[in-house]
Amino acid sequence: GAVVSQHPSWVICKSGTSVKIECRSLDFQATTMFWYRQFPKQSLMLMATSNEGSKATYEQGVEKDKFLINHASLTLSTLTVTSAHPEDSSFYICSARAGSYSGNTIYFGEGSWLTVV
Amino acid sequence: QKEVEQNSGPLSVPEGAIASLNCTYSDRGSQSFFWYRQYSGKSPELIMSIYSNGDKEDGRFTAQLNKASQYVSLLIRDSQPSDSATYLCAVNSRAAGNKLTFGGGTRVLVKP
């Protein structure tokens, strides 16, 4: 199946610093990528939809100035958590939509564990 | 009413038995339906996709879709301990901007 790579797998940062997470579709072009956050024992929560070449669409309650999303190419989207705080510690997962030839199936990256200390 | 609903479980199944998972959704305009498996601390992994009414089989997994009743189910035959995980139902709706909406997941425990 299609492969979506996410990097880094885990990161520890100091409170107040910024962290960038990359999401790449390795064998298909993804015009749309999605960013999720998942707290322990909870379901996936969609944060934003990232469209190549345009601004991301954020879900209600998600601060666009804190979670910066850049979808610079058809295979790369990045999420930057700015001025991170301990409450931002979570499992961040990206996904990418394959084309109509694949039924618009959405594939997930491996996820990134963020710990803010 | 949640957009996609699942019983949270845990669903306890003896090894070798059939695990039956259900999912209901509220948006009648939903087009695509997916089942993902998520192990603790890991990212979701696609198991099945289904787009039209009826059954779709893939190995030990069978997905069933009934758009009139707005439910989709997943059967796991010959359940193995390695099938113990949380199973997420996801629905893709054009009305929701082609976003994937997830249910809360059903935790499955397969006991040897």
Side-chain angles (χ1 to χ4, degrees):
Chain A
V3 179
V4 176
S5 176
Q6 201 170 328
H7 178 81
S9 300
W10 58 271
V11 57
I12 301 173
C13 72
K14 290 184 178 181
S15 185
T17 62
S18 296
V19 174
K20 180 186 285 188
I21 301 170
E22 293 187 347
C23 179
R24 294 180 185 272
S25 55
L26 298 184
D27 55 359
F28 65 97
Q29 292 183 330
T31 55
T32 305
M33 290 184 174
F34 304 88
W35 286 95
Y36 296 83
R37 180 167 54 182
Q38 186 176 37
F39 293 107
K41 297 187 178 181
Q42 294 187 24
S43 189
L44 293 163
M45 296 295 296
L46 179 65
M47 298 175 66
T49 302
S50 169
N51 297 298
E52 187 267 336
S54 64
K55 290 183 179 180
T57 303
Y58 289 82
E59 295 300 301
Q60 193 172 11
V62 178
E63 299 175 58
K64 61 180 67 176
D65 294 330
K66 179 171 181 64
F67 298 99
L68 302 179
I69 292 172
N70 187 327
H71 196 150
S73 75
L74 287 172
T75 58
L76 173 65
S77 176
T78 61
L79 168 68
T80 301
V81 183
T82 63
S83 186
H85 290 284
E87 57 265 30
D88 298 324
S89 300
S90 185
F91 189 41
Y92 291 86
I93 311 171
C94 76
S95 66
R97 177 185 287 138
S100 56
Y101 54 86
S102 295
N104 291 310
T105 301
I106 293 176
Y107 297 94
F108 283 87
E110 307 96 326
S112 299
W113 283 100
L114 170 63
T115 301
V116 184
V117 297
Chain B
Q1 181 189 7
K2 291 183 180 177
E3 295 180 48
V4 180
E5 293 205 55
Q6 295 179 252
N7 188 320
S8 62
L11 175 65
S12 187
V13 179
E15 183 175 359
I18 296 175
S20 177
L21 293 79
N22 295 314
C23 170
T24 58
Y25 59 94
S26 60
D27 185 356
R28 281 196 173 275
S30 300
Q31 304 285 323
S32 310
F33 307 85
F34 306 89
W35 282 99
Y36 289 85
R37 176 175 63 197
Q38 186 177 26
Y39 292 111
S40 181
K42 299 293 185 181
S43 185
E45 170 193 10
L46 180 67
I47 297 176
M48 294 278 289
S49 59
I50 187 166
Y51 309 101
S52 54
N53 283 326
D55 296 0
K56 180 181 178 182
E57 187 175 318
D58 184 358
R60 295 186 296 111
F61 299 99
T62 298
Q64 299 171 317
L65 174 62
N66 185 323
K67 290 186 178 180
S69 300
Q70 294 175 242
Y71 85 78
V72 56
S73 63
L74 179 71
L75 299 177
I76 307 174
R77 290 183 299 281
D78 188 24
S79 296
Q80 302 297 310
S82 59
D83 294 327
S84 297
T86 296
Y87 289 80
L88 302 168
C89 171
V91 176
N92 192 342
S93 165
R94 275 191 209 160
N98 266 331
K99 290 184 292 188
L100 206 57
T101 303
F102 284 88
T106 297
R107 187 168 160 235
V108 173
L109 294 173
V110 181
K111 297 185 175 180

